[in-house]
Amino acid sequence: MRIAVDAMGGDFAPDAIVEGVVMATKELPSDVTIVLVGQQPIIEDLLRKYDYAGSGVEIVHAEDVIEMGEHPTKALSQKPNSSIGVGFKLLRDKSVDAFCSAGNTGAMHVGALFSIKAIEGVLRPAIAGFVPQLSGASAVMVDIGANADCKPEMLLQFGEIGSIYAQYTFGIEKPRVALMNIGEEEQKGSLVAQAAYQLLKNSQKINFVGNMEGVDFFRDKADVIVTDGFNGNILFKMGESLYEITKELGLKHDFIDKTNYESVGGSPIVGVNGNVIIAHGISSPLAIKNMLNLAKRQVESNAYTKIAQALS
C-alpha cells in the first residue's frame, strides 16, 4: 500500500506534516509506504530533524505550492507542478492508493474532480465527516462542506453513498440512515428536506430511519447523517468546538476528546474514483498521523469501488 501526502499543505507545513508522517511510520505495518510530495531538499532536512532513517518513506519532488488563499481552479492550472497537482497525478496513474492533504480544500476538491473524476452516476461528490457518538461509535455525516446548495436527489444519493461507506469502512451490516431536520415528523422542514424525506423513505438501497434533530446529534440515532454541505459544515465545526471549550473550562471526558479534530485527522471526499482525504489546515503532527491511519483503513475497505458498483 502506498499513501501520498502533500508535505507542503497546511498552516504548519511542512514541519507538522513530516513530523506526523514519522510518527505514523512507528504504527503503520511495514508494507505501507508513505510518499511525501513536495520540495525534496526541505523534506529531507526535516526527516533528518525528526531522526527518520527507515525505508517506509519516499519523496516525490514538487516545486510549487498552492497557498491557502489561492483560487483552486486557477492555481491548479497555473501550478501543475504543485504538491497537490503532482499528488493527484500519482493517484490518477495509480502510483499511489490514496492522496491526503491539509492544504487548500478547494484545490483538493477540484483536483479530485479534474484528475480521478467523479464516479459515473454521482451527481456531486461530497465530503464526509465523522461524528463521535456516546456509544463509542462514529456516525458518517454527508455532506460537510462541498455542496452548500443541494437538490433532494443529491441528498438521497448522499444517503446511499454514506451507507456504502459506513458498511465497508466500519463494517456495519445495515447502516441506519437519518435526515438532519428541524423535527422528527415526516412533514417537517424546508421544501427540499420534505422532498428528500420521501426519496429516502422510498429507497430500497438504504435503511432509512427518518428525520433526526440536532438534540440527537451525538446520541447514536443513526450511522449515516444526511444533510447539505451548508448545515453540515456548521454542525460539524460546532461539534469540534466542544473540545476547545471544555479544555478552557478545565473539563475532561473521553467522549469530548473524540470531538477534537486531531482524533480522526481528516475527512474523505466520497463519490470520486479514488481515495482522497482532506485534513484541517491547522493540522498538528498528531492529526496527520491519525489521517494516515484513516487513509489505510479506507484503502483496505475499497469503499469507492463498492460505491461505483452500486451505481453502475
Side-chain angles (χ1 to χ4, degrees), residues 289-308:
K289 182 200 77 150
N290 287 332
M291 173 185 72
L292 287 162
N293 285 319
L294 170 64
K296 173 183 170 286
R297 194 164 77 234
Q298 189 165 317
V299 171
E300 287 171 341
S301 76
N302 211 17
Y304 83 89
T305 61
K306 306 292 185 187
I307 292 167

Side-chain angles (χ1 to χ4, degrees), residues 9-312:
D11 295 349
F12 305 113
D15 279 66
I17 312 302
V18 176
E19 186 180 356
V21 164
V22 172
M23 288 166 66
T25 60
K26 295 169 185 172
E27 294 183 8
L28 292 169
S30 58
D31 62 346
V32 176
T33 299
I34 300 171
V35 181
L36 278 163
V37 185
Q39 294 168 356
Q40 186 160 346
I42 294 172
I43 297 169
E44 286 174 344
D45 286 346
L46 287 168
L47 287 171
R48 280 192 290 270
K49 176 183 173 181
Y50 295 113
D51 297 322
Y52 183 75
S55 58
V57 175
E58 292 179 10
I59 302 171
V60 172
H61 181 70
E63 189 60 40
D64 296 326
V65 180
I66 294 177
E67 304 295 344
M68 288 297 202
E70 289 191 70
H71 187 280
T73 311
K74 276 185 188 172
L76 281 165
S77 60
Q78 291 169 1
K79 295 180 175 179
N81 292 319
S82 65
S83 52
I84 289 179
V86 173
F88 275 118
K89 279 180 203 157
L90 294 171
L91 188 61
R92 182 194 64 203
D93 297 341
K94 302 203 180 298
S95 299
V96 296
D97 301 295
F99 178 45
C100 314
S101 175
N104 186 309
T105 300
M108 285 295 289
H109 198 73
V110 171
L113 293 176
F114 281 1
S115 60
I116 54 172
K117 299 185 168 41
I119 291 168
E120 190 174 347
V122 168
L123 300 171
R124 292 279 182 86
I127 302 173
F130 303 104
V131 182
Q133 302 295 298
L134 286 169
S135 65
S138 289
V140 180
M141 183 158 68
V142 188
D143 180 18
I144 64 162
N147 306 282
D149 296 297
C150 292
K151 294 178 179 177
E153 294 79 10
M154 289 167 64
L155 294 174
L156 167 64
Q157 199 169 73
F158 292 168
E160 293 170 352
I161 290 171
S163 182
I164 296 166
Y165 187 89
Q167 182 182 349
Y168 288 99
T169 305
F170 295 125
I172 303 166
E173 189 57 40
K174 284 185 70 178
R176 297 160 299 159
V177 179
L179 177 66
M180 184 54 71
N181 210 330
I182 58 170
E184 289 187 354
E185 298 84 359
E186 191 170 327
Q187 67 275 16
K188 283 289 182 77
S190 64
L191 293 173
V192 170
Q194 289 176 43
Y197 186 103
Q198 295 305 317
L199 293 174
L200 289 159
K201 177 183 166 185
N202 293 321
S203 173
Q204 301 299 308
K205 297 179 180 178
I206 58 171
N207 175 23
F208 183 55
V209 295
N211 285 326
M212 173 195 277
E213 295 182 89
V215 70
D216 292 320
F217 193 51
F218 300 113
R219 294 193 174 275
D220 202 31
K221 291 292 180 77
D223 304 300
V224 179
I225 302 168
V226 175
T227 185
D228 60 72
F230 183 85
N231 289 302
N233 190 274
I234 292 169
L235 275 166
F236 196 68
K237 286 179 178 171
M238 185 192 71
E240 286 183 333
S241 74
L242 292 176
Y243 177 76
E244 290 299 331
I245 290 168
T246 52
K247 196 168 150 188
E248 287 168 24
L249 295 171
L251 303 172
K252 185 166 174 60
H253 192 279
D254 287 347
F255 168 73
I256 295 295
D257 287 347
K258 289 176 183 172
T259 66
N260 178 7
Y261 83 94
E262 293 175 316
S263 67
V264 175
S267 297
I269 299 178
V270 291
V272 293
N273 286 297
N275 297 300
V276 181
I277 295 177
I278 299 169
H280 254 296
I282 59 168
S283 285
S284 65
L286 176 61
I288 297 301
K289 182 200 77 150
N290 287 332
M291 173 185 72
L292 287 162
N293 285 319
L294 170 64
K296 173 183 170 286
R297 194 164 77 234
Q298 189 165 317
V299 171
E300 287 171 341
S301 76
N302 211 17
Y304 83 89
T305 61
K306 306 292 185 187
I307 292 167
Q309 287 165 12
L311 295 176
S312 63

